[in-house]
Every structure is written in C-alpha cells, then in structure tokens.
Amino acid sequence: MSRTRIKICGIKDIETAMVAAECGADAIGLVFVKLSPRYVEPEQAWEIVTYLPPFVTSVGLFVNAKPDAIDEVREQCPFDQVQLHGDESEPVVRACGPRVIKAVKFDAATIEHELLRWNNFREVDAVLVDGGSGGEGVALDWEALAKVREASSHPIILAGGLTPENVGEAIRIVEPWAVDVSSGVEKEKGVKDHALIAAFCDAVREADG
C-alpha cells in the first residue's frame, strides 16, 4: 500500500500551518466559507501560503460558491487546488477545474453512485468522502465505503470524525489515498491543537508501517 497523504483543514494562521508542515502534512486546507468558525480572509490565507515549504499543497475550500466568486478569492490567494464541499452541479465543477477535489457526503445507499458520477470528469483530481457536511466530526461507515471504494477512478480522500486515536483503523479498513482532518485536531471549535496535529500525523505514519 502506498503512503497515506495527510491534509490538515481549517488552518487560520502561519504558526499552525508551519506546525502541520513540520509534522509531515502534505496539504493544508483554507476555508473560504464566511459562516465557518474556520474562515480565513483571503489576504491572511495568502500570507499563510507564502510561508509554506516546497511540496506542501494549499487547498481552498468552498461550499456552493459560484465560479466567479471562487476566481475572485483565487486572485487574492492563488491556492493550488480547490475543494468543492457542497452540492455543486456538474457544470460548476467543470468551470472550477482543473485540480478540483470534489467532496461528497457519505450515504450507504448512494455512495457508489456518487463515486461513479465523477469518474469522467478530468477536472476532478480526487473525491473526498465525508461523514457530514464538513468540519462536523461525523464519522462514516468505513466498512461500507471500503466495499465500493474501487468504483471511483479517482483517488479517495477520507474525512469525517477522524482523530489520532481512530485514523489508523480507518486507514486499515478503507486504504484511502489521503486522510483529511479538521475538528479531530482542535482544542475548541476552529482552534487547532498543535500536539493533536503531531499525534495525528504520527498515527498515520504508524498505520502505513
């Protein structure tokens, strides 16, 4: 099995971004959803991005935003990839490409259809499967996802309710390309705990063997 990539989402300051990178995170998520406790202004997000070391990817997260609005933020903060974490239509996903991470909410009855749905989209780099609507700490049925994982021709990013304590088991069952954590490494909503970030990254590496 290949190395599991790590994304720490909801980064709001330079110090936490650097901690994530030093602990081995492959990507950081910048939340551009104003109602979120993890929202970061584009100007501050760009300052964070400029401090990232080489090969650490910046991901701009949006929920049901119009492509023009995403482009406006991208002009202020040229992030590497865009994460669409809502109910975006297929035309919107195409318009936001390339380098799209398309998030889908796990439902055992529909997850296989959702994975198949995005297979023919070259704009999509990966499909992120979340237990909730994002940042809610809602875990999903890993066994059920594992059964249909290969329906996706894109890499699978696993999210939702992951913590330093359970991420190893999640990796063992699902074998995702990457794991994405936000609330699972926070001491309070929207405030990251540097020790938990380190513990999470260590747990992923241990699971990879």
Side-chain angles (χ1 to χ4, degrees):
M1 186 174 69
S2 64
R3 177 177 71 83
T4 307
R5 275 69 176 174
I6 301 170
K7 174 170 168 275
I8 308 294
C9 199
I11 299 292
K12 298 195 295 183
D13 61 83
I14 294 168
E15 183 182 5
T16 304
M18 296 306 293
V19 167
E22 289 166 5
C23 290
D26 300 278
I28 65 160
L30 304 162
V31 177
F32 297 116
V33 181
K34 290 188 176 181
L35 294 179
S36 171
R38 303 172 184 93
Y39 173 71
V40 61
E41 292 283 351
E43 295 85 356
Q44 173 66 11
W46 177 237
E47 188 175 359
I48 293 169
V49 169
T50 62
Y51 274 85
L52 291 178
F55 306 120
V56 176
T57 301
S58 57
V59 181
L61 186 151
F62 299 83
V63 175
N64 296 328
K66 295 181 179 179
D68 287 348
I70 294 174
D71 287 341
E72 287 180 13
V73 174
R74 200 196 300 261
E75 287 179 5
Q76 299 174 72
C77 177
F79 46 81
D80 298 313
Q81 290 187 288
V82 59
Q83 181 172 325
L84 302 179
H85 215 98
D87 300 316
E88 294 85 7
S89 67
E90 294 177 0
V92 167
V93 172
R94 290 194 189 281
C96 291
R99 306 213 69 196
V100 172
I101 297 171
K102 181 67 187 84
V104 299
K105 186 175 179 179
F106 178 83
D107 182 325
T110 60
I111 186 59
E112 185 172 15
H113 170 76
E114 281 296 314
L115 295 179
L116 291 168
R117 177 184 180 188
W118 302 107
N119 278 351
N120 294 325
F121 283 70
R122 289 182 296 176
E123 295 84 358
V124 174
D125 280 355
V127 175
L128 183 148
V129 183
D130 202 338
S133 299
E136 298 176 342
V138 179
L140 56 89
D141 186 336
W142 301 328
E143 296 280 2
L145 176 58
K147 290 177 181 177
V148 298
R149 179 176 61 87
E150 293 188 2
S152 177
S153 62
H154 299 300
I156 295 290
I157 302 172
L158 179 63
L162 297 177
T163 67
E165 291 74 29
N166 68 16
V167 69
E169 182 71 0
I171 289 171
R172 183 188 69 78
I173 294 171
V174 180
E175 297 185 6
W177 168 259
V179 289
D180 188 333
V181 66
S182 187
S183 63
V185 292
E186 291 180 344
K187 52 189 172 184
E188 59 184 85
K189 186 171 287 188
V191 181
K192 294 292 184 282
D193 184 304
H194 295 177
L196 288 177
I197 289 174
F200 186 88
C201 293
D202 287 345
V204 173
R205 299 297 173 236
E206 183 177 348
D208 286 347

Short mmCIF file of all heavy atoms in Angstrom, two decimals, residues 62-119:
data_model
loop_
_atom_site.label_atom_id
_atom_site.label_comp_id
_atom_site.label_asym_id
_atom_site.label_seq_id
_atom_site.Cartn_x
_atom_site.Cartn_y
_atom_site.Cartn_z
N PHE A 62 -14.54 25.71 -0.54
CA PHE A 62 -15.75 26.49 -0.77
C PHE A 62 -16.97 25.59 -0.67
O PHE A 62 -16.88 24.38 -0.93
CB PHE A 62 -15.71 27.14 -2.16
CG PHE A 62 -14.56 28.08 -2.37
CD1 PHE A 62 -13.31 27.61 -2.75
CD2 PHE A 62 -14.73 29.45 -2.20
CE1 PHE A 62 -12.24 28.47 -2.95
CE2 PHE A 62 -13.67 30.32 -2.40
CZ PHE A 62 -12.43 29.83 -2.78
N VAL A 63 -18.10 26.18 -0.33
CA VAL A 63 -19.36 25.45 -0.27
C VAL A 63 -20.39 26.19 -1.11
O VAL A 63 -20.80 27.31 -0.79
CB VAL A 63 -19.88 25.30 1.17
CG1 VAL A 63 -21.26 24.63 1.19
CG2 VAL A 63 -18.90 24.49 2.01
N ASN A 64 -20.77 25.58 -2.23
CA ASN A 64 -21.81 26.12 -3.12
C ASN A 64 -21.54 27.55 -3.55
O ASN A 64 -22.47 28.37 -3.68
CB ASN A 64 -23.19 26.02 -2.44
CG ASN A 64 -23.61 24.59 -2.19
OD1 ASN A 64 -23.27 23.68 -2.95
ND2 ASN A 64 -24.34 24.35 -1.12
N ALA A 65 -20.28 27.84 -3.78
CA ALA A 65 -19.91 29.17 -4.28
C ALA A 65 -19.95 29.19 -5.80
O ALA A 65 -19.73 28.16 -6.45
CB ALA A 65 -18.51 29.54 -3.79
N LYS A 66 -20.22 30.34 -6.37
CA LYS A 66 -20.20 30.48 -7.82
C LYS A 66 -18.76 30.54 -8.32
O LYS A 66 -17.88 31.05 -7.61
CB LYS A 66 -20.97 31.73 -8.23
CG LYS A 66 -22.46 31.68 -7.92
CD LYS A 66 -23.17 32.94 -8.38
CE LYS A 66 -24.67 32.87 -8.08
NZ LYS A 66 -25.37 34.11 -8.51
N PRO A 67 -18.51 30.02 -9.51
CA PRO A 67 -17.14 30.05 -10.04
C PRO A 67 -16.51 31.43 -10.03
O PRO A 67 -15.32 31.56 -9.74
CB PRO A 67 -17.32 29.52 -11.47
CG PRO A 67 -18.51 28.60 -11.37
CD PRO A 67 -19.43 29.27 -10.40
N ASP A 68 -17.30 32.47 -10.33
CA ASP A 68 -16.74 33.83 -10.33
C ASP A 68 -16.27 34.22 -8.93
O ASP A 68 -15.23 34.89 -8.79
CB ASP A 68 -17.79 34.83 -10.82
CG ASP A 68 -18.03 34.73 -12.32
OD1 ASP A 68 -17.24 34.04 -13.00
OD2 ASP A 68 -19.01 35.34 -12.80
N ALA A 69 -17.02 33.82 -7.92
CA ALA A 69 -16.63 34.16 -6.55
C ALA A 69 -15.36 33.41 -6.16
O ALA A 69 -14.49 33.97 -5.46
CB ALA A 69 -17.76 33.80 -5.59
N ILE A 70 -15.24 32.18 -6.60
CA ILE A 70 -14.02 31.40 -6.34
C ILE A 70 -12.83 32.05 -7.04
O ILE A 70 -11.74 32.17 -6.46
CB ILE A 70 -14.21 29.94 -6.79
CG1 ILE A 70 -15.27 29.26 -5.92
CG2 ILE A 70 -12.89 29.17 -6.72
CD1 ILE A 70 -15.65 27.87 -6.36
N ASP A 71 -13.04 32.50 -8.27
CA ASP A 71 -11.95 33.16 -9.01
C ASP A 71 -11.50 34.43 -8.31
O ASP A 71 -10.30 34.76 -8.32
CB ASP A 71 -12.41 33.46 -10.43
CG ASP A 71 -12.51 32.21 -11.30
OD1 ASP A 71 -11.90 31.19 -10.93
OD2 ASP A 71 -13.19 32.27 -12.34
N GLU A 72 -12.44 35.16 -7.72
CA GLU A 72 -12.08 36.39 -7.00
C GLU A 72 -11.16 36.09 -5.83
O GLU A 72 -10.18 36.79 -5.59
CB GLU A 72 -13.35 37.10 -6.52
CG GLU A 72 -14.14 37.78 -7.63
CD GLU A 72 -15.38 38.48 -7.10
OE1 GLU A 72 -15.47 38.64 -5.85
OE2 GLU A 72 -16.25 38.86 -7.90
N VAL A 73 -11.50 35.03 -5.09
CA VAL A 73 -10.64 34.64 -3.96
C VAL A 73 -9.29 34.14 -4.47
O VAL A 73 -8.24 34.45 -3.90
CB VAL A 73 -11.33 33.55 -3.11
CG1 VAL A 73 -10.39 33.04 -2.02
CG2 VAL A 73 -12.61 34.09 -2.49
N ARG A 74 -9.32 33.37 -5.55
CA ARG A 74 -8.08 32.82 -6.11
C ARG A 74 -7.13 33.93 -6.55
O ARG A 74 -5.91 33.76 -6.50
CB ARG A 74 -8.40 31.89 -7.27
CG ARG A 74 -7.28 30.91 -7.61
CD ARG A 74 -7.48 30.29 -8.98
NE ARG A 74 -8.72 29.57 -9.09
CZ ARG A 74 -8.85 28.25 -8.98
NH1 ARG A 74 -7.80 27.51 -8.71
NH2 ARG A 74 -10.03 27.68 -9.15
N GLU A 75 -7.67 35.06 -7.01
CA GLU A 75 -6.82 36.18 -7.41
C GLU A 75 -6.09 36.77 -6.21
O GLU A 75 -4.95 37.22 -6.33
CB GLU A 75 -7.68 37.26 -8.09
CG GLU A 75 -8.14 36.88 -9.48
CD GLU A 75 -9.00 37.96 -10.11
OE1 GLU A 75 -9.15 39.03 -9.49
OE2 GLU A 75 -9.52 37.73 -11.22
N GLN A 76 -6.75 36.76 -5.05
CA GLN A 76 -6.13 37.29 -3.83
C GLN A 76 -5.23 36.27 -3.16
O GLN A 76 -4.25 36.62 -2.50
CB GLN A 76 -7.22 37.73 -2.85
CG GLN A 76 -8.14 38.82 -3.38
CD GLN A 76 -9.28 39.09 -2.42
OE1 GLN A 76 -9.09 39.66 -1.35
NE2 GLN A 76 -10.48 38.66 -2.79
N CYS A 77 -5.57 35.01 -3.32
CA CYS A 77 -4.80 33.91 -2.72
C CYS A 77 -4.72 32.76 -3.72
O CYS A 77 -5.61 31.91 -3.76
CB CYS A 77 -5.45 33.45 -1.42
SG CYS A 77 -4.61 32.04 -0.65
N PRO A 78 -3.69 32.73 -4.55
CA PRO A 78 -3.56 31.69 -5.58
C PRO A 78 -3.24 30.31 -4.98
O PRO A 78 -2.10 29.86 -5.00
CB PRO A 78 -2.42 32.19 -6.47
CG PRO A 78 -2.29 33.65 -6.16
CD PRO A 78 -2.65 33.77 -4.71
N PHE A 79 -4.25 29.65 -4.42
CA PHE A 79 -4.08 28.33 -3.84
C PHE A 79 -3.87 27.28 -4.94
O PHE A 79 -4.18 27.52 -6.11
CB PHE A 79 -5.29 27.97 -2.97
CG PHE A 79 -6.62 28.26 -3.61
CD1 PHE A 79 -7.18 27.39 -4.51
CD2 PHE A 79 -7.31 29.43 -3.29
CE1 PHE A 79 -8.40 27.64 -5.11
CE2 PHE A 79 -8.54 29.70 -3.89
CZ PHE A 79 -9.07 28.81 -4.79
N ASP A 80 -3.37 26.11 -4.56
CA ASP A 80 -3.02 25.08 -5.53
C ASP A 80 -4.22 24.30 -6.05
O ASP A 80 -4.29 23.97 -7.23
CB ASP A 80 -2.02 24.09 -4.91
CG ASP A 80 -0.72 24.76 -4.52
OD1 ASP A 80 -0.18 25.53 -5.34
OD2 ASP A 80 -0.24 24.53 -3.39
N GLN A 81 -5.14 23.96 -5.15
CA GLN A 81 -6.30 23.16 -5.52
C GLN A 81 -7.55 23.75 -4.90
O GLN A 81 -7.49 24.41 -3.85
CB GLN A 81 -6.15 21.71 -5.06
CG GLN A 81 -5.09 20.93 -5.82
CD GLN A 81 -5.11 19.45 -5.45
OE1 GLN A 81 -4.71 19.09 -4.35
NE2 GLN A 81 -5.54 18.60 -6.34
N VAL A 82 -8.69 23.50 -5.54
CA VAL A 82 -9.96 23.95 -5.00
C VAL A 82 -10.75 22.74 -4.51
O VAL A 82 -10.82 21.72 -5.19
CB VAL A 82 -10.77 24.76 -6.03
CG1 VAL A 82 -11.07 23.94 -7.29
CG2 VAL A 82 -12.06 25.29 -5.41
N GLN A 83 -11.31 22.85 -3.31
CA GLN A 83 -12.15 21.80 -2.74
C GLN A 83 -13.59 22.30 -2.73
O GLN A 83 -13.90 23.30 -2.09
CB GLN A 83 -11.70 21.45 -1.34
CG GLN A 83 -12.51 20.34 -0.68
CD GLN A 83 -11.89 19.91 0.64
OE1 GLN A 83 -10.67 19.90 0.78
NE2 GLN A 83 -12.72 19.56 1.61
N LEU A 84 -14.47 21.59 -3.43
CA LEU A 84 -15.88 21.94 -3.50
C LEU A 84 -16.63 21.05 -2.54
O LEU A 84 -16.79 19.85 -2.78
CB LEU A 84 -16.39 21.79 -4.94
CG LEU A 84 -15.64 22.63 -5.98
CD1 LEU A 84 -16.21 22.38 -7.37
CD2 LEU A 84 -15.68 24.12 -5.64
N HIS A 85 -17.12 21.63 -1.44
CA HIS A 85 -17.64 20.83 -0.34
C HIS A 85 -19.15 20.97 -0.18
O HIS A 85 -19.68 20.79 0.92
CB HIS A 85 -16.94 21.22 0.96
CG HIS A 85 -16.71 20.06 1.88
ND1 HIS A 85 -15.52 19.39 1.96
CD2 HIS A 85 -17.53 19.43 2.74
CE1 HIS A 85 -15.61 18.42 2.84
NE2 HIS A 85 -16.83 18.41 3.34
N GLY A 86 -19.83 21.30 -1.27
CA GLY A 86 -21.28 21.44 -1.19
C GLY A 86 -21.98 20.55 -2.20
O GLY A 86 -21.50 19.46 -2.53
N ASP A 87 -23.11 21.04 -2.69
CA ASP A 87 -23.90 20.29 -3.67
C ASP A 87 -23.70 20.87 -5.07
O ASP A 87 -24.66 21.04 -5.83
CB ASP A 87 -25.38 20.33 -3.29
CG ASP A 87 -25.63 19.74 -1.93
OD1 ASP A 87 -25.06 18.67 -1.64
OD2 ASP A 87 -26.37 20.36 -1.14
N GLU A 88 -22.46 21.18 -5.39
CA GLU A 88 -22.16 21.83 -6.67
C GLU A 88 -22.60 20.98 -7.85
O GLU A 88 -22.43 19.75 -7.86
CB GLU A 88 -20.66 22.11 -6.77
CG GLU A 88 -20.15 23.13 -5.78
CD GLU A 88 -19.80 22.55 -4.42
OE1 GLU A 88 -19.84 21.31 -4.29
OE2 GLU A 88 -19.48 23.33 -3.50
N SER A 89 -23.16 21.64 -8.85
CA SER A 89 -23.61 20.95 -10.06
C SER A 89 -22.42 20.55 -10.92
O SER A 89 -21.30 21.07 -10.74
CB SER A 89 -24.54 21.85 -10.87
OG SER A 89 -23.81 22.96 -11.40
N GLU A 90 -22.66 19.67 -11.85
CA GLU A 90 -21.58 19.23 -12.73
C GLU A 90 -21.01 20.38 -13.56
O GLU A 90 -19.78 20.49 -13.70
CB GLU A 90 -22.09 18.10 -13.62
CG GLU A 90 -22.42 16.84 -12.81
CD GLU A 90 -22.99 15.72 -13.64
OE1 GLU A 90 -23.14 15.90 -14.86
OE2 GLU A 90 -23.30 14.64 -13.07
N PRO A 91 -21.83 21.30 -14.10
CA PRO A 91 -21.26 22.44 -14.82
C PRO A 91 -20.37 23.32 -13.94
O PRO A 91 -19.34 23.83 -14.40
CB PRO A 91 -22.50 23.22 -15.30
CG PRO A 91 -23.56 22.19 -15.41
CD PRO A 91 -23.31 21.25 -14.26
N VAL A 92 -20.73 23.49 -12.68
CA VAL A 92 -19.92 24.29 -11.78
C VAL A 92 -18.58 23.60 -11.52
O VAL A 92 -17.52 24.25 -11.53
CB VAL A 92 -20.66 24.54 -10.44
CG1 VAL A 92 -19.69 25.08 -9.38
CG2 VAL A 92 -21.80 25.51 -10.64
N VAL A 93 -18.60 22.30 -11.33
CA VAL A 93 -17.36 21.56 -11.12
C VAL A 93 -16.44 21.70 -12.32
O VAL A 93 -15.24 21.93 -12.18
CB VAL A 93 -17.66 20.07 -10.82
CG1 VAL A 93 -16.36 19.26 -10.77
CG2 VAL A 93 -18.40 19.94 -9.49
N ARG A 94 -17.02 21.58 -13.51
CA ARG A 94 -16.21 21.74 -14.72
C ARG A 94 -15.62 23.15 -14.80
O ARG A 94 -14.45 23.34 -15.15
CB ARG A 94 -17.05 21.47 -15.96
CG ARG A 94 -17.45 20.00 -16.13
CD ARG A 94 -17.97 19.74 -17.53
NE ARG A 94 -18.54 18.42 -17.68
CZ ARG A 94 -17.85 17.30 -17.85
NH1 ARG A 94 -16.52 17.36 -17.86
NH2 ARG A 94 -18.46 16.13 -17.98
N ALA A 95 -16.43 24.15 -14.45
CA ALA A 95 -15.98 25.53 -14.54
C ALA A 95 -14.88 25.85 -13.54
O ALA A 95 -14.08 26.77 -13.76
CB ALA A 95 -17.16 26.48 -14.33
N CYS A 96 -14.83 25.10 -12.45
CA CYS A 96 -13.84 25.35 -11.40
C CYS A 96 -12.53 24.60 -11.63
O CYS A 96 -11.58 24.78 -10.87
CB CYS A 96 -14.40 24.98 -10.04
SG CYS A 96 -15.72 26.07 -9.47
N GLY A 97 -12.51 23.75 -12.65
CA GLY A 97 -11.31 22.97 -12.92
C GLY A 97 -10.22 23.79 -13.56
O GLY A 97 -10.44 24.95 -13.94
N PRO A 98 -9.04 23.22 -13.70
CA PRO A 98 -8.67 21.87 -13.24
C PRO A 98 -8.32 21.84 -11.76
O PRO A 98 -8.45 22.83 -11.07
CB PRO A 98 -7.43 21.56 -14.09
CG PRO A 98 -6.78 22.90 -14.28
CD PRO A 98 -7.93 23.88 -14.39
N ARG A 99 -7.89 20.68 -11.29
CA ARG A 99 -7.40 20.46 -9.94
C ARG A 99 -8.49 20.64 -8.89
O ARG A 99 -8.31 21.36 -7.90
CB ARG A 99 -6.19 21.34 -9.63
CG ARG A 99 -5.05 21.22 -10.64
CD ARG A 99 -3.70 21.40 -9.99
NE ARG A 99 -3.39 20.28 -9.10
CZ ARG A 99 -2.42 20.32 -8.18
NH1 ARG A 99 -1.72 21.43 -8.00
NH2 ARG A 99 -2.19 19.27 -7.42
N VAL A 100 -9.62 19.97 -9.09
CA VAL A 100 -10.74 20.03 -8.16
C VAL A 100 -10.74 18.80 -7.25
O VAL A 100 -10.57 17.67 -7.72
CB VAL A 100 -12.08 20.10 -8.92
CG1 VAL A 100 -13.26 19.95 -7.95
CG2 VAL A 100 -12.19 21.39 -9.71
N ILE A 101 -10.94 19.03 -5.96
CA ILE A 101 -11.27 17.96 -5.02
C ILE A 101 -12.78 18.07 -4.79
O ILE A 101 -13.26 19.08 -4.27
CB ILE A 101 -10.53 18.11 -3.69
CG1 ILE A 101 -9.01 17.99 -3.90
CG2 ILE A 101 -11.00 17.06 -2.68
CD1 ILE A 101 -8.19 18.34 -2.67
N LYS A 102 -13.52 17.05 -5.21
CA LYS A 102 -14.98 17.10 -5.05
C LYS A 102 -15.37 16.30 -3.81
O LYS A 102 -15.13 15.10 -3.73
CB LYS A 102 -15.70 16.54 -6.28
CG LYS A 102 -17.22 16.60 -6.15
CD LYS A 102 -17.71 18.03 -6.14
CE LYS A 102 -19.20 18.14 -5.83
NZ LYS A 102 -19.49 18.13 -4.38
N ALA A 103 -15.97 16.98 -2.86
CA ALA A 103 -16.42 16.31 -1.64
C ALA A 103 -17.84 15.78 -1.82
O ALA A 103 -18.68 16.42 -2.45
CB ALA A 103 -16.38 17.29 -0.47
N VAL A 104 -18.08 14.60 -1.27
CA VAL A 104 -19.42 14.02 -1.26
C VAL A 104 -19.72 13.55 0.16
O VAL A 104 -18.84 13.10 0.89
CB VAL A 104 -19.54 12.83 -2.25
CG1 VAL A 104 -19.27 13.29 -3.67
CG2 VAL A 104 -18.60 11.69 -1.88
N LYS A 105 -20.98 13.69 0.56
CA LYS A 105 -21.40 13.26 1.89
C LYS A 105 -21.78 11.79 1.84
O LYS A 105 -22.56 11.37 1.00
CB LYS A 105 -22.59 14.11 2.35
CG LYS A 105 -23.02 13.84 3.78
CD LYS A 105 -24.14 14.80 4.19
CE LYS A 105 -24.60 14.53 5.60
NZ LYS A 105 -25.67 15.48 6.00
N PHE A 106 -21.21 11.02 2.75
CA PHE A 106 -21.42 9.57 2.74
C PHE A 106 -22.87 9.22 3.07
O PHE A 106 -23.45 9.70 4.05
CB PHE A 106 -20.50 8.88 3.73
CG PHE A 106 -20.71 7.40 3.80
CD1 PHE A 106 -20.11 6.56 2.88
CD2 PHE A 106 -21.54 6.83 4.76
CE1 PHE A 106 -20.31 5.18 2.92
CE2 PHE A 106 -21.75 5.47 4.82
CZ PHE A 106 -21.13 4.64 3.89
N ASP A 107 -23.42 8.36 2.24
CA ASP A 107 -24.71 7.71 2.49
C ASP A 107 -24.56 6.32 1.89
O ASP A 107 -24.27 6.18 0.70
CB ASP A 107 -25.84 8.48 1.81
CG ASP A 107 -27.22 7.88 2.07
OD1 ASP A 107 -27.32 6.63 2.17
OD2 ASP A 107 -28.20 8.63 2.15
N ALA A 108 -24.74 5.31 2.71
CA ALA A 108 -24.52 3.94 2.24
C ALA A 108 -25.35 3.60 1.01
O ALA A 108 -24.93 2.82 0.16
CB ALA A 108 -24.82 2.95 3.36
N ALA A 109 -26.52 4.23 0.89
CA ALA A 109 -27.42 3.93 -0.23
C ALA A 109 -27.00 4.59 -1.53
O ALA A 109 -27.36 4.11 -2.61
CB ALA A 109 -28.84 4.34 0.13
N THR A 110 -26.22 5.67 -1.43
CA THR A 110 -25.90 6.45 -2.64
C THR A 110 -24.42 6.60 -2.92
O THR A 110 -24.04 7.13 -3.97
CB THR A 110 -26.51 7.85 -2.54
OG1 THR A 110 -25.95 8.53 -1.39
CG2 THR A 110 -28.03 7.78 -2.40
N ILE A 111 -23.55 6.16 -2.00
CA ILE A 111 -22.13 6.46 -2.15
C ILE A 111 -21.53 5.87 -3.42
O ILE A 111 -20.72 6.53 -4.09
CB ILE A 111 -21.33 6.01 -0.90
CG1 ILE A 111 -19.88 6.47 -1.01
CG2 ILE A 111 -21.44 4.51 -0.68
CD1 ILE A 111 -19.69 7.96 -1.14
N GLU A 112 -21.91 4.67 -3.80
CA GLU A 112 -21.34 4.10 -5.02
C GLU A 112 -21.72 4.94 -6.23
O GLU A 112 -20.87 5.20 -7.10
CB GLU A 112 -21.81 2.65 -5.21
CG GLU A 112 -21.14 1.97 -6.40
CD GLU A 112 -21.45 0.49 -6.48
OE1 GLU A 112 -22.40 0.03 -5.80
OE2 GLU A 112 -20.75 -0.22 -7.22
N HIS A 113 -22.97 5.37 -6.29
CA HIS A 113 -23.41 6.24 -7.39
C HIS A 113 -22.61 7.55 -7.40
O HIS A 113 -22.21 8.02 -8.47
CB HIS A 113 -24.91 6.55 -7.26
CG HIS A 113 -25.39 7.62 -8.19
ND1 HIS A 113 -25.59 7.40 -9.53
CD2 HIS A 113 -25.68 8.93 -7.96
CE1 HIS A 113 -25.99 8.52 -10.11
NE2 HIS A 113 -26.06 9.46 -9.19
N GLU A 114 -22.37 8.13 -6.22
CA GLU A 114 -21.63 9.38 -6.15
C GLU A 114 -20.19 9.21 -6.63
O GLU A 114 -19.63 10.08 -7.29
CB GLU A 114 -21.65 9.92 -4.71
CG GLU A 114 -22.93 10.63 -4.33
CD GLU A 114 -23.15 11.88 -5.16
OE1 GLU A 114 -22.21 12.68 -5.33
OE2 GLU A 114 -24.28 12.07 -5.66
N LEU A 115 -19.59 8.09 -6.28
CA LEU A 115 -18.21 7.84 -6.74
C LEU A 115 -18.17 7.68 -8.25
O LEU A 115 -17.28 8.23 -8.93
CB LEU A 115 -17.65 6.59 -6.05
CG LEU A 115 -17.46 6.66 -4.54
CD1 LEU A 115 -16.93 5.34 -4.01
CD2 LEU A 115 -16.53 7.80 -4.15
N LEU A 116 -19.12 6.92 -8.79
CA LEU A 116 -19.18 6.71 -10.24
C LEU A 116 -19.47 8.01 -10.98
O LEU A 116 -18.98 8.23 -12.09
CB LEU A 116 -20.25 5.67 -10.58
CG LEU A 116 -19.96 4.24 -10.15
CD1 LEU A 116 -21.22 3.38 -10.30
CD2 LEU A 116 -18.83 3.65 -11.00
N ARG A 117 -20.24 8.86 -10.37
CA ARG A 117 -20.70 10.10 -11.02
C ARG A 117 -19.55 10.97 -11.51
O ARG A 117 -19.64 11.59 -12.56
CB ARG A 117 -21.55 10.90 -10.02
CG ARG A 117 -22.03 12.25 -10.53
CD ARG A 117 -22.78 12.98 -9.42
NE ARG A 117 -23.24 14.27 -9.85
CZ ARG A 117 -23.78 15.18 -9.04
NH1 ARG A 117 -23.91 14.90 -7.74
NH2 ARG A 117 -24.18 16.35 -9.50
N TRP A 118 -18.46 11.01 -10.75
CA TRP A 118 -17.37 11.94 -11.08
C TRP A 118 -16.22 11.29 -11.84
O TRP A 118 -15.22 11.94 -12.13
CB TRP A 118 -16.84 12.57 -9.78
CG TRP A 118 -17.93 13.28 -9.04
CD1 TRP A 118 -18.54 12.88 -7.89
CD2 TRP A 118 -18.58 14.50 -9.43
NE1 TRP A 118 -19.51 13.78 -7.52
CE2 TRP A 118 -19.56 14.78 -8.44
CE3 TRP A 118 -18.42 15.38 -10.50
CZ2 TRP A 118 -20.38 15.90 -8.52
CZ3 TRP A 118 -19.24 16.50 -10.57
CH2 TRP A 118 -20.21 16.75 -9.59
N ASN A 119 -16.39 10.03 -12.23
CA ASN A 119 -15.30 9.32 -12.89
C ASN A 119 -14.86 9.95 -14.21
O ASN A 119 -13.68 9.92 -14.55
CB ASN A 119 -15.68 7.86 -13.13
CG ASN A 119 -15.47 6.99 -11.90
OD1 ASN A 119 -14.89 7.44 -10.92
ND2 ASN A 119 -15.96 5.76 -11.95
#
